[in-house]
Amino acid sequence: MLLDSRLAHELSEHDPRRLPVACQSPFVRRVGVAVVVGCVLVACGGSGASHAGGTPSRRAATTTTSTAPPLRLDSAAAIATTLTTIERGLRTPGDTMAATYGTLQPEAYGTLVSHPEWRAAVLAAVGPDVAAAVGANLDASVSLDSLTTGGPLSSLLPPWTIVAPQPEATLLADYVAAQAATGVPWGYLAGIHLIESRLGRIVGPSSAGAQGPMQFLPSTFAEYGQGGNIDDDHDAIFAAARLLAAHGGATNINKALLAYNDDQRYAQAVEDYAGVLAASPVAFDGYYQWPVVYETSTGTYVLPTGYPAQPAVRRAG
């Protein structure tokens, strides 16, 4: 998924029309937007299906491998083939290509967002076992992309620090523990975490003062954090679960998500991700690999772990 400098600016500005003062909801910078230049995903598919509150299952420990699909994005037919291979591979027990698939997903979905005229052909051509996943991922990408404000892109890269995320098993354990404590299904917490900070990779406050991997205003975190650390993934995940639960998240998740950020497009994107994870928890293997990709007026850049000490890498094309 690619982040747009216009979007990042919008999402780092407090908008009182979207964030009701009464509930002091945390500011969401929504760094998960897709712009061809970007992307997002969701799922369906073959293995590990469960209800929305189910426990994530892990990929079977076998030695099955597969060859990385060619990332051809030059036509609807090519994207359909690429996405079928990626989404099917993520749901194949024993497939060891999750890191490759997760890295390719954002670019594939971002390209499709930039070519809406290909949507119908792609959805008709992808494998029927992954069609729902592709549709949901694409819908989330479109929702997030629509949050861009337009206008010129910045020529500057963002003032963030990019760090390695917590181990995948650690994050899944935190989501599930927060679900058990609050009744909020774990997939919604994962979706918020993915959008807000690419699962903790992006470190840096918004210009409105929101902080941490779930982007809380300090005053809101003081209410829901129970004395924890706003910059700690575990503490922030639990605080988000408490906020959602306090606004009815266990029974009306859309209402609760609008309390978190009062924009239906944001809420829908989170629900799309959660739906993918509910249908196939191993889809998280792909989300976990998503890189931080950022678009400026001078080009599109991958921000690697260690950025800014490690330089951004400009994508070709």
Side-chain angles (χ1 to χ4, degrees):
M1 176 178 293
L2 176 138
L3 309 183
D4 183 319
S5 59
R6 296 166 298 191
L7 177 68
H9 174 75
E10 174 190 341
L11 299 178
S12 65
E13 297 295 332
H14 179 79
D15 184 345
R17 295 170 299 175
R18 294 186 183 176
L19 302 177
V21 176
C23 71
Q24 286 288 296
S25 53
F27 176 72
V28 179
R29 63 180 167 190
R30 280 171 247 144
V31 298
V33 175
V35 283
V36 102
V37 270
C39 33
V40 191
L41 74 139
V42 173
C44 157
S47 66
S50 69
H51 60 81
T55 300
S57 61
R58 303 300 306 131
R59 191 175 298 281
T62 71
T63 58
T64 302
T65 60
S66 62
T67 302
L71 182 61
R72 285 194 52 221
L73 305 175
D74 54 336
S75 68
I79 289 180
T81 297
T82 295
L83 287 176
T84 297
T85 303
I86 289 172
E87 299 292 356
R88 189 174 285 162
L90 286 170
R91 292 158 179 78
T92 300
D95 194 301
T96 61
M97 296 297 296
T100 298
Y101 294 141
T103 300
L104 299 181
Q105 275 177 325
E107 189 173 356
Y109 281 107
T111 301
L112 189 50
V113 168
S114 71
H115 287 281
E117 72 277 12
W118 292 351
R119 177 188 176 105
V122 168
L123 293 180
V126 294
D129 55 322
V130 298
V134 171
N137 287 325
L138 179 56
D139 286 344
S141 297
V142 170
S143 292
L144 293 173
D145 184 59
S146 72
L147 293 167
T148 56
T149 58
L153 289 164
S154 171
S155 62
L156 302 177
L157 289 168
W160 299 333
T161 297
I162 306 302
V163 301
Q166 293 296 308
E168 184 175 356
T170 299
L171 294 180
L172 288 170
D174 285 344
Y175 301 145
V176 173
Q179 171 185 288
T182 64
V184 175
W186 72 274
Y188 298 99
L189 303 173
I192 292 171
H193 201 195
L194 180 69
I195 292 170
E196 295 298 345
S197 65
R198 193 61 87 254
L199 302 180
R201 285 177 171 82
I202 299 172
V203 177
S206 75
S207 62
Q211 300 174 24
M214 301 296 263
Q215 284 292 280
F216 275 101
L217 293 173
S219 58
T220 308
F221 189 81
E223 182 177 357
Y224 296 102
Q226 294 188 354
N229 180 353
I230 196 171
D231 294 315
D232 179 81
D233 289 274
H234 170 91
D235 293 350
I237 288 166
F238 270 76
R242 294 185 197 106
L243 185 154
L244 293 174
H247 291 87
T251 57
N252 188 339
I253 192 63
N254 185 261
K255 176 183 176 182
L257 289 169
L258 291 174
Y260 201 98
N261 187 285
D262 190 20
D263 192 302
Q264 186 59 52
R265 294 167 295 181
Y266 176 84
Q268 187 58 58
V270 174
E271 291 184 59
D272 284 335
Y273 292 138
V276 176
L277 293 170
S280 186
V282 293
F284 189 76
D285 289 350
Y287 293 146
Y288 185 76
Q289 303 298 332
W290 282 12
V292 178
V293 184
Y294 194 87
E295 183 189 24
T296 73
S297 61
T298 63
T300 298
Y301 296 84
V302 176
L303 308 185
T305 300
Y307 170 88
Q310 294 295 320
V313 179
R314 184 171 181 172
R315 278 187 170 173

